[in-house]
PDB file of all heavy atoms in Angstrom:
ATOM      1  N   ALA A 220     -32.297  56.685 -48.506  1.00 98.00           N
ATOM      2  CA  ALA A 220     -32.656  55.331 -48.941  1.00 98.00           C
ATOM      3  C   ALA A 220     -34.159  55.123 -48.837  1.00 98.00           C
ATOM      4  O   ALA A 220     -34.809  55.649 -47.926  1.00 98.00           O
ATOM      5  CB  ALA A 220     -31.924  54.286 -48.112  1.00 98.00           C
ATOM      6  N   VAL A 221     -34.691  54.344 -49.774  1.00 98.00           N
ATOM      7  CA  VAL A 221     -36.107  53.993 -49.800  1.00 98.00           C
ATOM      8  C   VAL A 221     -36.227  52.499 -50.057  1.00 98.00           C
ATOM      9  O   VAL A 221     -35.582  51.965 -50.964  1.00 98.00           O
ATOM     10  CB  VAL A 221     -36.849  54.768 -50.910  1.00 98.00           C
ATOM     11  CG1 VAL A 221     -38.266  54.229 -51.100  1.00 98.00           C
ATOM     12  CG2 VAL A 221     -36.894  56.257 -50.592  1.00 98.00           C
ATOM     13  N   VAL A 222     -37.048  51.824 -49.260  1.00 98.00           N
ATOM     14  CA  VAL A 222     -37.387  50.416 -49.495  1.00 98.00           C
ATOM     15  C   VAL A 222     -38.788  50.374 -50.090  1.00 98.00           C
ATOM     16  O   VAL A 222     -39.716  50.971 -49.532  1.00 98.00           O
ATOM     17  CB  VAL A 222     -37.334  49.588 -48.193  1.00 98.00           C
ATOM     18  CG1 VAL A 222     -37.680  48.122 -48.472  1.00 98.00           C
ATOM     19  CG2 VAL A 222     -35.945  49.688 -47.551  1.00 98.00           C
ATOM     20  N   ALA A 223     -38.929  49.686 -51.223  1.00 97.00           N
ATOM     21  CA  ALA A 223     -40.228  49.653 -51.902  1.00 97.00           C
ATOM     22  C   ALA A 223     -40.566  48.234 -52.358  1.00 97.00           C
ATOM     23  O   ALA A 223     -39.687  47.474 -52.777  1.00 97.00           O
ATOM     24  CB  ALA A 223     -40.223  50.591 -53.107  1.00 97.00           C
ATOM     25  N   ARG A 224     -41.841  47.941 -52.263  1.00 96.00           N
ATOM     26  CA  ARG A 224     -42.381  46.714 -52.841  1.00 96.00           C
ATOM     27  C   ARG A 224     -43.228  47.147 -54.031  1.00 96.00           C
ATOM     28  O   ARG A 224     -44.339  47.674 -53.846  1.00 96.00           O
ATOM     29  CB  ARG A 224     -43.206  45.936 -51.820  1.00 96.00           C
ATOM     30  CG  ARG A 224     -42.405  45.524 -50.583  1.00 96.00           C
ATOM     31  CD  ARG A 224     -43.233  44.642 -49.654  1.00 96.00           C
ATOM     32  NE  ARG A 224     -43.540  43.361 -50.283  1.00 96.00           N
ATOM     33  CZ  ARG A 224     -42.736  42.283 -50.217  1.00 96.00           C
ATOM     34  NH1 ARG A 224     -41.596  42.346 -49.543  1.00 96.00           N
ATOM     35  NH2 ARG A 224     -43.088  41.159 -50.806  1.00 96.00           N
ATOM     36  N   GLY A 225     -42.669  46.963 -55.237  1.00 93.00           N
ATOM     37  CA  GLY A 225     -43.317  47.528 -56.411  1.00 93.00           C
ATOM     38  C   GLY A 225     -43.301  49.035 -56.319  1.00 93.00           C
ATOM     39  O   GLY A 225     -42.243  49.654 -56.159  1.00 93.00           O
ATOM     40  N   GLU A 226     -44.469  49.640 -56.395  1.00 92.00           N
ATOM     41  CA  GLU A 226     -44.560  51.100 -56.309  1.00 92.00           C
ATOM     42  C   GLU A 226     -44.785  51.587 -54.879  1.00 92.00           C
ATOM     43  O   GLU A 226     -44.758  52.791 -54.629  1.00 92.00           O
ATOM     44  CB  GLU A 226     -45.706  51.591 -57.191  1.00 92.00           C
ATOM     45  CG  GLU A 226     -45.525  51.293 -58.668  1.00 92.00           C
ATOM     46  CD  GLU A 226     -46.616  51.906 -59.521  1.00 92.00           C
ATOM     47  OE1 GLU A 226     -47.492  52.595 -58.943  1.00 92.00           O
ATOM     48  OE2 GLU A 226     -46.604  51.704 -60.746  1.00 92.00           O
ATOM     49  N   ARG A 227     -44.994  50.669 -53.953  1.00 95.00           N
ATOM     50  CA  ARG A 227     -45.366  51.047 -52.578  1.00 95.00           C
ATOM     51  C   ARG A 227     -44.119  51.164 -51.696  1.00 95.00           C
ATOM     52  O   ARG A 227     -43.349  50.218 -51.561  1.00 95.00           O
ATOM     53  CB  ARG A 227     -46.328  50.028 -51.995  1.00 95.00           C
ATOM     54  CG  ARG A 227     -46.860  50.407 -50.604  1.00 95.00           C
ATOM     55  CD  ARG A 227     -48.050  49.535 -50.251  1.00 95.00           C
ATOM     56  NE  ARG A 227     -47.676  48.128 -50.144  1.00 95.00           N
ATOM     57  CZ  ARG A 227     -47.351  47.529 -48.989  1.00 95.00           C
ATOM     58  NH1 ARG A 227     -47.368  48.218 -47.855  1.00 95.00           N
ATOM     59  NH2 ARG A 227     -47.044  46.250 -48.975  1.00 95.00           N
ATOM     60  N   VAL A 228     -43.949  52.325 -51.088  1.00 96.00           N
ATOM     61  CA  VAL A 228     -42.832  52.550 -50.169  1.00 96.00           C
ATOM     62  C   VAL A 228     -43.167  51.916 -48.819  1.00 96.00           C
ATOM     63  O   VAL A 228     -44.227  52.183 -48.239  1.00 96.00           O
ATOM     64  CB  VAL A 228     -42.564  54.058 -50.004  1.00 96.00           C
ATOM     65  CG1 VAL A 228     -41.520  54.303 -48.914  1.00 96.00           C
ATOM     66  CG2 VAL A 228     -42.120  54.665 -51.322  1.00 96.00           C
ATOM     67  N   VAL A 229     -42.243  51.089 -48.318  1.00 97.00           N
ATOM     68  CA  VAL A 229     -42.464  50.435 -47.020  1.00 97.00           C
ATOM     69  C   VAL A 229     -41.436  50.852 -45.977  1.00 97.00           C
ATOM     70  O   VAL A 229     -41.544  50.478 -44.803  1.00 97.00           O
ATOM     71  CB  VAL A 229     -42.469  48.897 -47.180  1.00 97.00           C
ATOM     72  CG1 VAL A 229     -43.642  48.455 -48.044  1.00 97.00           C
ATOM     73  CG2 VAL A 229     -41.147  48.380 -47.747  1.00 97.00           C
ATOM     74  N   GLY A 230     -40.433  51.640 -46.382  1.00 97.00           N
ATOM     75  CA  GLY A 230     -39.434  52.104 -45.427  1.00 97.00           C
ATOM     76  C   GLY A 230     -38.594  53.215 -46.016  1.00 97.00           C
ATOM     77  O   GLY A 230     -38.281  53.193 -47.206  1.00 97.00           O
ATOM     78  N   GLU A 231     -38.268  54.216 -45.203  1.00 97.00           N
ATOM     79  CA  GLU A 231     -37.434  55.327 -45.645  1.00 97.00           C
ATOM     80  C   GLU A 231     -36.362  55.604 -44.602  1.00 97.00           C
ATOM     81  O   GLU A 231     -36.560  55.356 -43.412  1.00 97.00           O
ATOM     82  CB  GLU A 231     -38.267  56.604 -45.827  1.00 97.00           C
ATOM     83  CG  GLU A 231     -39.297  56.533 -46.934  1.00 97.00           C
ATOM     84  CD  GLU A 231     -40.025  57.847 -47.117  1.00 97.00           C
ATOM     85  OE1 GLU A 231     -40.079  58.638 -46.144  1.00 97.00           O
ATOM     86  OE2 GLU A 231     -40.532  58.089 -48.222  1.00 97.00           O
ATOM     87  N   GLY A 232     -35.228  56.142 -45.069  1.00 97.00           N
ATOM     88  CA  GLY A 232     -34.170  56.477 -44.124  1.00 97.00           C
ATOM     89  C   GLY A 232     -33.187  57.470 -44.690  1.00 97.00           C
ATOM     90  O   GLY A 232     -33.120  57.693 -45.903  1.00 97.00           O
ATOM     91  N   TRP A 233     -32.415  58.085 -43.816  1.00 97.00           N
ATOM     92  CA  TRP A 233     -31.351  58.999 -44.213  1.00 97.00           C
ATOM     93  C   TRP A 233     -30.297  58.989 -43.122  1.00 97.00           C
ATOM     94  O   TRP A 233     -30.562  58.604 -41.971  1.00 97.00           O
ATOM     95  CB  TRP A 233     -31.887  60.413 -44.428  1.00 97.00           C
ATOM     96  CG  TRP A 233     -32.498  61.054 -43.200  1.00 97.00           C
ATOM     97  CD1 TRP A 233     -31.886  61.870 -42.303  1.00 97.00           C
ATOM     98  CD2 TRP A 233     -33.850  60.893 -42.731  1.00 97.00           C
ATOM     99  NE1 TRP A 233     -32.754  62.234 -41.310  1.00 97.00           N
ATOM    100  CE2 TRP A 233     -33.968  61.656 -41.552  1.00 97.00           C
ATOM    101  CE3 TRP A 233     -34.957  60.179 -43.203  1.00 97.00           C
ATOM    102  CZ2 TRP A 233     -35.157  61.709 -40.827  1.00 97.00           C
ATOM    103  CZ3 TRP A 233     -36.136  60.245 -42.481  1.00 97.00           C
ATOM    104  CH2 TRP A 233     -36.238  61.007 -41.316  1.00 97.00           C
ATOM    105  N   HIS A 234     -29.084  59.353 -43.487  1.00 96.00           N
ATOM    106  CA  HIS A 234     -28.001  59.436 -42.505  1.00 96.00           C
ATOM    107  C   HIS A 234     -28.181  60.745 -41.748  1.00 96.00           C
ATOM    108  O   HIS A 234     -27.930  61.828 -42.278  1.00 96.00           O
ATOM    109  CB  HIS A 234     -26.653  59.376 -43.212  1.00 96.00           C
ATOM    110  CG  HIS A 234     -25.481  59.260 -42.297  1.00 96.00           C
ATOM    111  ND1 HIS A 234     -25.565  58.715 -41.031  1.00 96.00           N
ATOM    112  CD2 HIS A 234     -24.178  59.615 -42.455  1.00 96.00           C
ATOM    113  CE1 HIS A 234     -24.378  58.747 -40.454  1.00 96.00           C
ATOM    114  NE2 HIS A 234     -23.519  59.286 -41.292  1.00 96.00           N
ATOM    115  N   ALA A 235     -28.662  60.647 -40.513  1.00 93.00           N
ATOM    116  CA  ALA A 235     -29.077  61.840 -39.776  1.00 93.00           C
ATOM    117  C   ALA A 235     -27.912  62.589 -39.137  1.00 93.00           C
ATOM    118  O   ALA A 235     -27.965  63.820 -39.014  1.00 93.00           O
ATOM    119  CB  ALA A 235     -30.090  61.454 -38.694  1.00 93.00           C
ATOM    120  N   ALA A 236     -26.864  61.877 -38.723  1.00 91.00           N
ATOM    121  CA  ALA A 236     -25.738  62.530 -38.059  1.00 91.00           C
ATOM    122  C   ALA A 236     -24.582  61.549 -37.971  1.00 91.00           C
ATOM    123  O   ALA A 236     -24.778  60.330 -37.994  1.00 91.00           O
ATOM    124  CB  ALA A 236     -26.131  63.008 -36.657  1.00 91.00           C
ATOM    125  N   LEU A 237     -23.381  62.083 -37.863  1.00 89.00           N
ATOM    126  CA  LEU A 237     -22.186  61.254 -37.735  1.00 89.00           C
ATOM    127  C   LEU A 237     -22.309  60.331 -36.526  1.00 89.00           C
ATOM    128  O   LEU A 237     -22.656  60.776 -35.425  1.00 89.00           O
ATOM    129  CB  LEU A 237     -20.955  62.148 -37.581  1.00 89.00           C
ATOM    130  CG  LEU A 237     -19.600  61.452 -37.591  1.00 89.00           C
ATOM    131  CD1 LEU A 237     -19.322  60.828 -38.956  1.00 89.00           C
ATOM    132  CD2 LEU A 237     -18.492  62.444 -37.225  1.00 89.00           C
ATOM    133  N   GLY A 238     -22.062  59.035 -36.756  1.00 89.00           N
ATOM    134  CA  GLY A 238     -22.156  58.053 -35.685  1.00 89.00           C
ATOM    135  C   GLY A 238     -23.519  57.407 -35.561  1.00 89.00           C
ATOM    136  O   GLY A 238     -23.656  56.390 -34.868  1.00 89.00           O
ATOM    137  N   ARG A 239     -24.534  57.996 -36.198  1.00 92.00           N
ATOM    138  CA  ARG A 239     -25.875  57.407 -36.189  1.00 92.00           C
ATOM    139  C   ARG A 239     -26.008  56.388 -37.312  1.00 92.00           C
ATOM    140  O   ARG A 239     -25.159  56.283 -38.190  1.00 92.00           O
ATOM    141  CB  ARG A 239     -26.922  58.519 -36.360  1.00 92.00           C
ATOM    142  CG  ARG A 239     -26.896  59.592 -35.285  1.00 92.00           C
ATOM    143  CD  ARG A 239     -27.802  59.262 -34.121  1.00 92.00           C
ATOM    144  NE  ARG A 239     -29.192  59.221 -34.532  1.00 92.00           N
ATOM    145  CZ  ARG A 239     -29.991  60.290 -34.600  1.00 92.00           C
ATOM    146  NH1 ARG A 239     -29.511  61.490 -34.318  1.00 92.00           N
ATOM    147  NH2 ARG A 239     -31.258  60.163 -34.950  1.00 92.00           N
ATOM    148  N   ASP A 240     -27.109  55.628 -37.302  1.00 92.00           N
ATOM    149  CA  ASP A 240     -27.344  54.644 -38.353  1.00 92.00           C
ATOM    150  C   ASP A 240     -27.258  55.273 -39.730  1.00 92.00           C
ATOM    151  O   ASP A 240     -27.679  56.414 -39.937  1.00 92.00           O
ATOM    152  CB  ASP A 240     -28.733  54.010 -38.190  1.00 92.00           C
ATOM    153  CG  ASP A 240     -28.788  52.990 -37.077  1.00 92.00           C
ATOM    154  OD1 ASP A 240     -27.710  52.535 -36.637  1.00 92.00           O
ATOM    155  OD2 ASP A 240     -29.900  52.662 -36.643  1.00 92.00           O
ATOM    156  N   HIS A 241     -26.737  54.490 -40.678  1.00 95.00           N
ATOM    157  CA  HIS A 241     -26.721  54.955 -42.059  1.00 95.00           C
ATOM    158  C   HIS A 241     -28.130  54.863 -42.634  1.00 95.00           C
ATOM    159  O   HIS A 241     -29.018  54.224 -42.082  1.00 95.00           O
ATOM    160  CB  HIS A 241     -25.734  54.134 -42.880  1.00 95.00           C
ATOM    161  CG  HIS A 241     -24.310  54.435 -42.574  1.00 95.00           C
ATOM    162  ND1 HIS A 241     -23.257  53.944 -43.309  1.00 95.00           N
ATOM    163  CD2 HIS A 241     -23.739  55.191 -41.585  1.00 95.00           C
ATOM    164  CE1 HIS A 241     -22.123  54.376 -42.815  1.00 95.00           C
ATOM    165  NE2 HIS A 241     -22.388  55.135 -41.757  1.00 95.00           N
ATOM    166  N   ALA A 242     -28.320  55.509 -43.782  1.00 96.00           N
ATOM    167  CA  ALA A 242     -29.653  55.604 -44.395  1.00 96.00           C
ATOM    168  C   ALA A 242     -30.265  54.233 -44.653  1.00 96.00           C
ATOM    169  O   ALA A 242     -31.462  54.013 -44.403  1.00 96.00           O
ATOM    170  CB  ALA A 242     -29.549  56.384 -45.706  1.00 96.00           C
ATOM    171  N   GLU A 243     -29.449  53.289 -45.158  1.00 96.00           N
ATOM    172  CA  GLU A 243     -29.961  51.968 -45.500  1.00 96.00           C
ATOM    173  C   GLU A 243     -30.507  51.248 -44.267  1.00 96.00           C
ATOM    174  O   GLU A 243     -31.570  50.613 -44.308  1.00 96.00           O
ATOM    175  CB  GLU A 243     -28.854  51.114 -46.132  1.00 96.00           C
ATOM    176  CG  GLU A 243     -28.247  51.724 -47.382  1.00 96.00           C
ATOM    177  CD  GLU A 243     -27.000  52.543 -47.114  1.00 96.00           C
ATOM    178  OE1 GLU A 243     -26.995  53.316 -46.117  1.00 96.00           O
ATOM    179  OE2 GLU A 243     -26.031  52.419 -47.873  1.00 96.00           O
ATOM    180  N   VAL A 244     -29.771  51.364 -43.155  1.00 96.00           N
ATOM    181  CA  VAL A 244     -30.172  50.669 -41.926  1.00 96.00           C
ATOM    182  C   VAL A 244     -31.473  51.263 -41.390  1.00 96.00           C
ATOM    183  O   VAL A 244     -32.385  50.532 -40.974  1.00 96.00           O
ATOM    184  CB  VAL A 244     -29.046  50.750 -40.876  1.00 96.00           C
ATOM    185  CG1 VAL A 244     -29.517  50.186 -39.540  1.00 96.00           C
ATOM    186  CG2 VAL A 244     -27.807  49.991 -41.374  1.00 96.00           C
ATOM    187  N   MET A 245     -31.591  52.593 -41.392  1.00 96.00           N
ATOM    188  CA  MET A 245     -32.828  53.217 -40.942  1.00 96.00           C
ATOM    189  C   MET A 245     -34.010  52.772 -41.801  1.00 96.00           C
ATOM    190  O   MET A 245     -35.085  52.429 -41.277  1.00 96.00           O
ATOM    191  CB  MET A 245     -32.722  54.742 -40.976  1.00 96.00           C
ATOM    192  CG  MET A 245     -33.999  55.451 -40.507  1.00 96.00           C
ATOM    193  SD  MET A 245     -34.005  57.245 -40.796  1.00 96.00           S
ATOM    194  CE  MET A 245     -32.805  57.787 -39.602  1.00 96.00           C
ATOM    195  N   ALA A 246     -33.832  52.780 -43.119  1.00 97.00           N
ATOM    196  CA  ALA A 246     -34.925  52.392 -44.016  1.00 97.00           C
ATOM    197  C   ALA A 246     -35.315  50.930 -43.806  1.00 97.00           C
ATOM    198  O   ALA A 246     -36.510  50.593 -43.792  1.00 97.00           O
ATOM    199  CB  ALA A 246     -34.516  52.629 -45.463  1.00 97.00           C
ATOM    200  N   LEU A 247     -34.344  50.061 -43.636  1.00 97.00           N
ATOM    201  CA  LEU A 247     -34.630  48.633 -43.425  1.00 97.00           C
ATOM    202  C   LEU A 247     -35.325  48.404 -42.090  1.00 97.00           C
ATOM    203  O   LEU A 247     -36.247  47.575 -41.986  1.00 97.00           O
ATOM    204  CB  LEU A 247     -33.333  47.830 -43.501  1.00 97.00           C
ATOM    205  CG  LEU A 247     -32.673  47.766 -44.884  1.00 97.00           C
ATOM    206  CD1 LEU A 247     -31.275  47.182 -44.778  1.00 97.00           C
ATOM    207  CD2 LEU A 247     -33.523  46.953 -45.851  1.00 97.00           C
ATOM    208  N   ASP A 248     -34.895  49.115 -41.054  1.00 96.00           N
ATOM    209  CA  ASP A 248     -35.545  48.985 -39.747  1.00 96.00           C
ATOM    210  C   ASP A 248     -37.007  49.406 -39.830  1.00 96.00           C
ATOM    211  O   ASP A 248     -37.892  48.760 -39.227  1.00 96.00           O
ATOM    212  CB  ASP A 248     -34.821  49.842 -38.700  1.00 96.00           C
ATOM    213  CG  ASP A 248     -33.510  49.224 -38.234  1.00 96.00           C
ATOM    214  OD1 ASP A 248     -33.280  48.033 -38.551  1.00 96.00           O
ATOM    215  OD2 ASP A 248     -32.728  49.929 -37.575  1.00 96.00           O
ATOM    216  N   ARG A 249     -37.287  50.461 -40.564  1.00 97.00           N
ATOM    217  CA  ARG A 249     -38.664  50.932 -40.681  1.00 97.00           C
ATOM    218  C   ARG A 249     -39.506  49.986 -41.537  1.00 97.00           C
ATOM    219  O   ARG A 249     -40.718  49.858 -41.321  1.00 97.00           O
ATOM    220  CB  ARG A 249     -38.683  52.341 -41.260  1.00 97.00           C
ATOM    221  CG  ARG A 249     -38.100  53.370 -40.289  1.00 97.00           C
ATOM    222  CD  ARG A 249     -38.182  54.775 -40.839  1.00 97.00           C
ATOM    223  NE  ARG A 249     -37.832  55.754 -39.796  1.00 97.00           N
ATOM    224  CZ  ARG A 249     -37.919  57.069 -39.945  1.00 97.00           C
ATOM    225  NH1 ARG A 249     -38.349  57.558 -41.104  1.00 97.00           N
ATOM    226  NH2 ARG A 249     -37.593  57.881 -38.962  1.00 97.00           N
ATOM    227  N   ALA A 250     -38.854  49.334 -42.499  1.00 96.00           N
ATOM    228  CA  ALA A 250     -39.590  48.381 -43.338  1.00 96.00           C
ATOM    229  C   ALA A 250     -39.867  47.079 -42.597  1.00 96.00           C
ATOM    230  O   ALA A 250     -40.894  46.425 -42.823  1.00 96.00           O
ATOM    231  CB  ALA A 250     -38.799  48.099 -44.616  1.00 96.00           C
ATOM    232  N   GLY A 251     -38.955  46.684 -41.703  1.00 96.00           N
ATOM    233  CA  GLY A 251     -39.131  45.436 -40.959  1.00 96.00           C
ATOM    234  C   GLY A 251     -39.198  44.226 -41.881  1.00 96.00           C
ATOM    235  O   GLY A 251     -38.422  44.125 -42.847  1.00 96.00           O
ATOM    236  N   ARG A 252     -40.150  43.326 -41.611  1.00 95.00           N
ATOM    237  CA  ARG A 252     -40.261  42.099 -42.407  1.00 95.00           C
ATOM    238  C   ARG A 252     -40.686  42.376 -43.844  1.00 95.00           C
ATOM    239  O   ARG A 252     -40.498  41.531 -44.729  1.00 95.00           O
ATOM    240  CB  ARG A 252     -41.259  41.142 -41.740  1.00 95.00           C
ATOM    241  CG  ARG A 252     -40.698  40.503 -40.467  1.00 95.00           C
ATOM    242  CD  ARG A 252     -41.699  39.578 -39.840  1.00 95.00           C
ATOM    243  NE  ARG A 252     -42.865  40.302 -39.307  1.00 95.00           N
ATOM    244  CZ  ARG A 252     -43.888  39.715 -38.694  1.00 95.00           C
ATOM    245  NH1 ARG A 252     -43.898  38.390 -38.551  1.00 95.00           N
ATOM    246  NH2 ARG A 252     -44.889  40.433 -38.225  1.00 95.00           N
ATOM    247  N   ARG A 253     -41.232  43.550 -44.101  1.00 97.00           N
ATOM    248  CA  ARG A 253     -41.649  43.888 -45.466  1.00 97.00           C
ATOM    249  C   ARG A 253     -40.465  44.108 -46.404  1.00 97.00           C
ATOM    250  O   ARG A 253     -40.629  44.193 -47.627  1.00 97.00           O
ATOM    251  CB  ARG A 253     -42.538  45.132 -45.450  1.00 97.00           C
ATOM    252  CG  ARG A 253     -43.861  44.939 -44.713  1.00 97.00           C
ATOM    253  CD  ARG A 253     -44.598  46.257 -44.555  1.00 97.00           C
ATOM    254  NE  ARG A 253     -43.865  47.200 -43.707  1.00 97.00           N
ATOM    255  CZ  ARG A 253     -44.250  48.431 -43.426  1.00 97.00           C
ATOM    256  NH1 ARG A 253     -45.383  48.890 -43.959  1.00 97.00           N
ATOM    257  NH2 ARG A 253     -43.541  49.210 -42.648  1.00 97.00           N
ATOM    258  N   ALA A 254     -39.253  44.182 -45.845  1.00 96.00           N
ATOM    259  CA  ALA A 254     -38.065  44.363 -46.677  1.00 96.00           C
ATOM    260  C   ALA A 254     -37.695  43.104 -47.445  1.00 96.00           C
ATOM    261  O   ALA A 254     -37.044  43.182 -48.489  1.00 96.00           O
ATOM    262  CB  ALA A 254     -36.888  44.802 -45.806  1.00 96.00           C
ATOM    263  N   ARG A 255     -38.116  41.929 -46.946  1.00 97.00           N
ATOM    264  CA  ARG A 255     -37.749  40.670 -47.623  1.00 97.00           C
ATOM    265  C   ARG A 255     -38.385  40.625 -49.012  1.00 97.00           C
ATOM    266  O   ARG A 255     -39.588  40.746 -49.172  1.00 97.00           O
ATOM    267  CB  ARG A 255     -38.181  39.463 -46.789  1.00 97.00           C
ATOM    268  CG  ARG A 255     -37.691  38.127 -47.355  1.00 97.00           C
ATOM    269  CD  ARG A 255     -37.663  37.046 -46.293  1.00 97.00           C
ATOM    270  NE  ARG A 255     -36.762  37.398 -45.189  1.00 97.00           N
ATOM    271  CZ  ARG A 255     -35.433  37.195 -45.229  1.00 97.00           C
ATOM    272  NH1 ARG A 255     -34.870  36.650 -46.292  1.00 97.00           N
ATOM    273  NH2 ARG A 255     -34.690  37.524 -44.189  1.00 97.00           N
TER     274      ARG A 255
END
């Protein structure tokens, strides 16, 4: 998963292992308030 504002990437994620956060959650956490 990638979170982007226009062409600028503000968060990235992937499902790293069973039981860990899914890709979307990791990407959103890394983007923080920039995800809105």
Side-chain angles (χ1 to χ4, degrees):
V221 170
V222 181
R224 300 185 66 88
E226 297 185 2
R227 185 166 64 95
V228 173
V229 296
E231 295 183 336
W233 62 94
H234 188 25
L237 187 66
R239 301 270 296 274
D240 284 343
H241 287 189
E243 302 94 317
V244 173
M245 180 190 289
L247 292 169
D248 284 348
R249 292 183 170 186
R252 287 180 292 181
R253 296 172 295 178
R255 187 158 300 277

